[in-house]
Amino acid sequence: METLAYFDLAATYENTTNVESDPDPLKFFDEFNWKPPSSAWIRLLSTMIAILILSMTNGVFAAGTISARVNTNGSELHVRSSPGGRVVGSLRNGSQISLTGRNVNGWLQLANGNYVSSLWVRRGSSNNSDGTTTPSKGLLKVGDRGSEVTRLQNSLKNRNFYNGPITGYYGDLTEVAVRKFQASKGLRVDGIAGPQTLSTLAGNSSGSGNARVATRGSSLNIRSGPGTGYRVIGSLNNGSSVSIYATSNGWHKIGNNQWVSSAWVNS
């Protein structure tokens, strides 16, 4: 009897062990007639997912950028880590930049996350199909094309600084002429016709009267309209010669959409 009871206990233990043992994980899918995909299908699926992610990422960046240019009338523009934060770099006058569209109290965010002052950035410069660019307001540089460049070339030619053909294209000959003119007037020589260069050039043409900037040393702001509520688009050095085309409420018009305070001009 004791021997029979022992065999019954052993058989019960073996059956219990077999029931509780872990099944083959792949046998579970046999019930559904499912087989794992091949390695080729896995690679194809991974590639399609990667392409989809990249296309979505590129679309986000492309949709969020705005083309603009630095317009400092010669000096470099500081790049800061945050609005009004520490300086982390600089941009040359005329440099093309990409903006995210975010404006924090007059500070524009660059595509790389840094910030620049909105006072020295001009939007609206666009690339043409022939590789030239449409001039930004108040700034002409190499690669620009249009009627503003034609006027610049004519003005330089009339003053014997430009000897090339009148093409309306800002090329090497025009840049050399602008540099010569800037050097002759004591301006910053950078070959870019910014507000100060254009204003000085206009100051030698017919106006209601020639005048000089008298600020006791500091530079005089050029604004887009007659008043401090208009944005600053450039500056004039003390002693610069200008022509006055009109006067309104204590402001002199010295060029196209270019105004200075009459308090700092001796006519």
Side-chain angles (χ1 to χ4, degrees):
M1 291 295 293
E2 291 179 356
T3 303
L4 181 59
Y6 173 79
F7 283 115
D8 288 340
L9 180 62
T12 301
Y13 175 78
E14 290 177 359
N15 291 335
T16 303
T17 303
N18 290 337
V19 170
E20 293 179 352
S21 62
D22 294 334
D24 186 349
L26 293 180
K27 289 184 178 180
F28 171 80
F29 296 102
D30 290 343
E31 300 292 333
F32 304 99
N33 195 26
W34 180 87
K35 295 182 179 180
S38 65
S39 59
W41 276 104
I42 294 176
R43 287 195 299 268
L44 178 59
L45 182 60
S46 300
T47 302
M48 293 176 64
I49 294 175
I51 293 175
L52 178 61
I53 293 175
L54 287 175
S55 63
M56 293 175 62
T57 303
N58 290 336
V60 169
F61 282 113
T65 58
I66 302 171
S67 179
R69 284 191 180 276
V70 175
N71 182 18
T72 61
N73 196 35
S75 58
E76 294 187 344
L77 175 62
H78 285 158
V79 178
R80 299 181 182 272
S81 60
S82 60
R86 63 184 180 89
V87 177
V88 295
S90 62
L91 293 167
R92 295 184 60 185
N93 184 33
S95 298
Q96 185 170 356
I97 58 177
S98 294
L99 305 172
T100 64
R102 185 182 184 190
N103 187 331
V104 181
N105 297 325
W107 293 90
L108 303 178
Q109 187 181 47
L110 299 173
N112 63 7
N114 293 324
Y115 288 81
V116 293
S117 172
S118 61
L119 293 176
W120 308 108
V121 174
R122 297 292 174 264
R123 304 183 188 185
S125 178
S126 59
N127 293 327
N128 301 322
S129 59
D130 59 357
T132 63
T133 56
T134 301
S136 298
K137 190 173 183 180
L139 176 69
L140 300 174
K141 64 193 180 311
V142 172
D144 286 346
R145 183 189 296 278
S147 59
E148 295 181 25
V149 178
T150 300
R151 287 194 293 270
L152 172 65
Q153 290 174 333
N154 282 319
S155 296
L156 292 170
K157 196 177 190 71
N158 292 336
R159 291 156 184 77
N160 298 319
F161 288 100
Y162 180 70
N163 297 319
I166 305 300
T167 61
Y169 173 70
Y170 201 123
D172 293 338
L173 293 178
T174 305
E175 182 186 23
V176 171
V178 169
R179 287 180 176 274
K180 289 180 180 179
F181 175 77
Q182 290 171 330
S184 71
K185 299 299 180 182
L187 304 175
R188 180 184 177 91
V189 180
D190 58 5
I192 298 173
Q196 186 171 359
T197 297
L198 295 174
S199 177
T200 305
L201 187 60
N204 291 325
S205 61
S206 60
S208 61
N210 289 325
R212 285 191 177 276
V213 175
T215 59
R216 302 194 185 103
S218 59
S219 59
L220 175 63
N221 286 336
I222 303 173
R223 296 185 179 271
S224 59
T228 56
Y230 293 88
R231 63 187 178 88
V232 176
I233 60 174
S235 62
L236 291 169
N237 292 330
N238 183 35
S240 297
S241 176
V242 296
S243 278
I244 301 171
Y245 295 89
T247 301
S248 175
N249 297 324
W251 290 82
H252 292 322
K253 183 179 181 181
I254 61 173
N256 184 27
N257 294 323
Q258 297 177 6
W259 296 77
V260 294
S261 172
S262 61
W264 305 105
V265 176
N266 289 335
S267 55

